[in-house]
Amino acid sequence: MNKISYKTYLNDRLKQVGFHGQLIHPLYVQVTYERKTIFFKSYYFELFSKARYAMHLPDGKIKSPDLEQIIEKENEVIRFVIDKLQDGFSLEAFKKLYTHFSTDLCDATEFDFITYLYLFFDDKELPHMAELIKWGTLHLVTYDLMMEFKNTLKKSLYTELIEQAFQKAPPYLQLYGFVMHNKRSPLLCLTVMEWDNIETVRSFKEYVELHYPKLKSTILIGQVNAWSNYRRKAI
């Protein structure tokens, strides 16, 4: 196989963009093969630029995701895809698999889960709560909001919320809880690359059976495997 080279870099040919209170050049990926080169914006830079990944400290400062960790996540998935393709490598195949395997499953399932929450509370004739969810989740992690619901809603209402979600929503809540349980990194995500490992799936099954004993873990795993059905937002 011909030599493949790649790098992740801050693209100083483009204007600086906002990244949690600071201006920096966007992070890009460059891959070269057989004297041809492709350039594209880092998926993880876009993901962790979202407002909900910043932590607002009591002194007014903002703790943002570490750029070096974002770069390392990029390099990890790039190496994984290159190894996956081996002698079948092409730039077109690389970009397709990069888009697939870099995807954060929590992010992929969150949008439809938020839609489910909105409709649930609207159906309960709580339209202001529905609107709060719609706009608040642009700035807050939806899982954190759900944990507050667990502590503040009537038990019967929260139980109904979870049970209906099992039938009508993607398994965002279980995925994010699993990530929180298993990772210490501030970059809380679960990529398709990580899910493509039987040990990850087995660990998820054990987590679900412990924390959601009334839900069938095999069905939740099947819902995760169908994550691409939830990609209503364009990448």
Side-chain angles (χ1 to χ4, degrees), residues 8 15 24 37 39 44-45 90-91 96 101 122 156 164 170 175 177 201 203 205-206 210 216 218:
T8 54
K15 291 182 179 180
I24 61 175
T37 301
F39 308 85
Y44 293 115
F45 183 79
S90 71
L91 292 176
K96 183 177 180 179
F101 284 110
D122 191 59
S156 58
Q164 285 196 24
L175 283 169
V201 178
S203 183
K205 186 174 188 294
E206 292 173 355
L210 177 63
K216 292 185 178 180
T218 52

Side-chain angles (χ1 to χ4, degrees), residues 76-88:
E76 183 182 11
V77 73
I78 290 168
R79 291 190 295 265
F80 176 85
V81 172
I82 290 173
D83 290 343
K84 197 88 169 172
L85 288 170
Q86 296 186 3
D87 292 336

Side-chain angles (χ1 to χ4, degrees), residues 50 52-53 105-123 126-127 129-146 149 161 165 168-173 176 230 232-233:
K50 294 180 179 181
R52 61 180 178 271
Y53 288 102
L105 289 168
C106 294
D107 188 66
T109 55
E110 185 179 31
F111 180 71
D112 271 15
F113 187 81
I114 292 170
T115 301
Y116 160 73
L117 288 179
Y118 181 92
L119 294 173
F120 178 87
F121 285 105
D122 191 59
D123 185 60
L126 296 168
M129 179 70 83
E131 287 298 312
L132 177 64
I133 290 166
K134 179 179 178 181
W135 299 108
T137 50
L138 294 175
H139 302 281
L140 301 171
V141 176
T142 306
Y143 180 86
D144 293 340
L145 185 62
M146 287 295 295
F149 284 164
L161 178 67
K168 301 178 180 180
Y172 163 81
L173 186 63
Y176 202 96
Y230 308 118
R232 292 188 181 181
K233 277 189 174 181

Side-chain angles (χ1 to χ4, degrees), residues 14 62 69 78 102 104 139 157 163 205 212:
L14 300 178
I62 298 175
Q69 289 184 313
I78 290 168
S102 63
D104 171 26
H139 302 281
L157 181 61
E163 289 179 351
K205 186 174 188 294
Y212 297 91

Side-chain angles (χ1 to χ4, degrees), residues 38-222:
I38 57 173
F39 308 85
F40 54 91
K41 196 171 186 178
S42 157
Y43 167 79
Y44 293 115
F45 183 79
E46 290 243 319
L47 176 67
F48 294 111
S49 291
K50 294 180 179 181
R52 61 180 178 271
Y53 288 102
M55 181 183 297
H56 294 266
L57 303 177
D59 61 3
K61 294 181 180 178
I62 298 175
K63 184 178 181 181
S64 61
D66 185 86
L67 190 60
E68 291 303 317
Q69 289 184 313
I70 294 174
I71 291 172
E72 179 50 39
K73 288 197 75 66
E74 281 293 348
N75 290 337
E76 183 182 11
V77 73
I78 290 168
R79 291 190 295 265
F80 176 85
V81 172
I82 290 173
D83 290 343
K84 197 88 169 172
L85 288 170
Q86 296 186 3
D87 292 336
F89 187 90
S90 71
L91 292 176
E92 294 77 13
F94 171 84
K95 187 59 172 63
K96 183 177 180 179
L97 287 191
Y98 166 90
T99 299
H100 176 76
F101 284 110
S102 63
T103 300
D104 171 26
L105 289 168
C106 294
D107 188 66
T109 55
E110 185 179 31
F111 180 71
D112 271 15
F113 187 81
I114 292 170
T115 301
Y116 160 73
L117 288 179
Y118 181 92
L119 294 173
F120 178 87
F121 285 105
D122 191 59
D123 185 60
K124 295 295 180 182
E125 297 184 351
L126 296 168
H128 298 300
M129 179 70 83
E131 287 298 312
L132 177 64
I133 290 166
K134 179 179 178 181
W135 299 108
T137 50
L138 294 175
H139 302 281
L140 301 171
V141 176
T142 306
Y143 180 86
D144 293 340
L145 185 62
M146 287 295 295
M147 291 303 97
E148 292 202 355
F149 284 164
K150 184 177 182 179
N151 294 328
T152 56
L153 295 179
K154 289 183 179 180
K155 185 176 180 180
S156 58
L157 181 61
Y158 183 78
T159 299
E160 183 182 355
L161 178 67
I162 297 301
E163 289 179 351
Q164 285 196 24
F166 180 64
Q167 303 293 334
K168 301 178 180 180
Y172 163 81
L173 186 63
Q174 292 81 11
L175 283 169
Y176 202 96
F178 172 69
V179 172
M180 291 278 289
H181 182 76
N182 286 277
K183 293 189 176 184
R184 295 294 177 264
S185 169
L187 303 184
L188 291 174
C189 68
L190 179 66
T191 65
V192 175
M193 177 184 69
E194 293 170 297
W195 185 256
D196 191 49
N197 183 316
I198 190 63
E199 291 303 320
T200 302
V201 178
R202 184 178 293 117
S203 183
F204 177 75
K205 186 174 188 294
E206 292 173 355
Y207 170 83
V208 167
E209 290 173 351
L210 177 63
H211 294 275
Y212 297 91
K214 293 183 178 180
L215 305 183
K216 292 185 178 180
S217 59
T218 52
I219 292 178
L220 285 166
I221 290 169

